Every structure is written in C-alpha cells, then in structure tokens.
C-alpha cells in the first residue's frame, strides 16, 4: 500500500466510527440518564427521613440543633437503642428524623454517640419524649 491508500483507509475508518458513534450516542445517553434517575430516586428515598417534619415557613430557615440521645459502647448498641427509642414512647417526636452515629474516643475507649438533627424549638420536647433527662441531651437548645 502506498501512503495515499493508507490515508484513504484511515479516512474511511474515521467515517465508519463517526457513523457508529452517531447511532450509538442516543442509546448510551438514554442508559446514562436512566442510571442517574435510578440513583437519584434511591438516594432521595434514603434521605427523606432526614428532611424536617415541618416545612420551613415561607422564606424562613428553621434553626436546627443536634440532640444527643445517648452514648454507647458500639455502633451496634447505638443502632439498637435508636430502634428501641424511635419505636417507643418517643416515636411521634422522632418521626421524620434520622439518627446520626458519631464515633469518638473518651478516656481511651471508643464510644458511639446517638444523635439526631432537629428543629431547635423541638429539642427539649424530643429529649423529654425519649426520656433522656441528662443535661447534655439538649444542651444547645
């Protein structure tokens, strides 16, 4: 083959690739969109409980605070405590709130703090409903 034949073959290959790309592009784009929509729906479903129960008043941002409901020796114990508290007498107060698990080290031993982020004006009521009488429950409220 001489150089001209190679160039012609290269140009033919480029045209073929361009045609295939034009045909495949909409199909690939649709698949990417479907994956993105599925991921957004999954993440939105997981995040819904974290959204405040009461919508913010028009144009106003509700002040929020973090409430510590307890500290446990493991994350498993903290999750068990959340299941117990959120299904008990405090269920109504905790509806729509998601637990936060914060692993810390205190005096050389690991602890998992069980917390929730809630509107600041409901912090004291949530502590009472969860029957947490320690002052650290709503110390920022």
């Amino acid at each position: 083959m001489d150089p001209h034949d190679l160039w012609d073959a290269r140009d033919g290959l480029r045209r073929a690739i361009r045609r295939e790309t034009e045909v495949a592009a909409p199909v690939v784009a649709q698949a990417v969109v479907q994956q993105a929509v599925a991921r957004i729906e999954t993440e939105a479903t997981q995040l819904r409980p974290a959204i405040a129960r009461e919508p913010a008043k028009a144009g106003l941002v509700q002040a929020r605070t973090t409430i510590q409901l307890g500290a446990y020796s493991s994350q498993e114990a903290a999750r068990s405590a959340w299941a117990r508290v959120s299904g008990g007498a405090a269920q109504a107060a905790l509806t729509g709130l998601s637990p936060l698990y914060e692993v810390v080290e205190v005096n050389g031993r690991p602890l998992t703090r069980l917390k929730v982020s809630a509107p600041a004006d409901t912090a004291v009521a949530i502590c009472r409903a969860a029957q947490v009488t320690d002052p650290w429950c709503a110390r920022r409220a």
Side-chain angles (χ1 to χ4, degrees), residues 77-89:
R79 288 184 187 282
S80 176
W82 173 254
R84 197 171 47 255
V85 169
S86 64

Side-chain angles (χ1 to χ4, degrees), residues 120-141:
D121 59 346
T122 64
V124 173
I126 289 171
C127 290
R128 275 194 218 120
Q131 298 175 350
V132 178
T133 57
D134 292 315
W136 44 253
C137 180
R139 69 173 176 236
R140 293 186 203 157

Side-chain angles (χ1 to χ4, degrees), residues 111-130:
L111 290 176
T112 301
R113 291 178 176 159
L114 170 58
K115 297 180 174 187
V116 292
S117 176
D121 59 346
T122 64
V124 173
I126 289 171
C127 290
R128 275 194 218 120

Side-chain angles (χ1 to χ4, degrees), residues 11-139:
D11 292 342
L13 184 59
R14 283 184 178 166
R15 282 191 295 277
I17 290 172
R18 192 173 304 125
R19 275 193 308 268
E20 292 300 318
T21 302
E22 289 171 359
V23 170
V27 175
V28 171
Q30 182 62 30
V32 169
V33 168
Q34 287 174 346
Q35 286 179 341
V37 167
R39 184 172 178 190
I40 289 168
E41 287 173 354
T42 300
E43 290 180 7
T45 300
Q46 293 170 350
L47 292 175
R48 274 193 194 108
I51 298 172
R53 284 178 280 147
E54 301 170 17
K57 297 192 170 73
L60 298 177
V61 176
Q62 268 187 324
R64 295 188 70 81
T65 189
T66 300
I67 304 164
Q68 182 173 321
L69 299 175
Y72 302 90
S73 60
S74 68
Q75 192 166 23
E76 184 178 285
R79 288 184 187 282
S80 176
W82 173 254
R84 197 171 47 255
V85 169
S86 64
Q91 183 174 6
L94 295 172
T95 298
L97 301 179
S98 294
L100 305 168
Y101 301 101
E102 178 184 30
V103 179
V104 296
E105 189 172 312
V106 178
N107 296 330
R109 73 179 239 236
L111 290 176
T112 301
R113 291 178 176 159
L114 170 58
K115 297 180 174 187
V116 292
S117 176
D121 59 346
T122 64
V124 173
I126 289 171
C127 290
R128 275 194 218 120
Q131 298 175 350
V132 178
T133 57
D134 292 315
W136 44 253
C137 180
R139 69 173 176 236

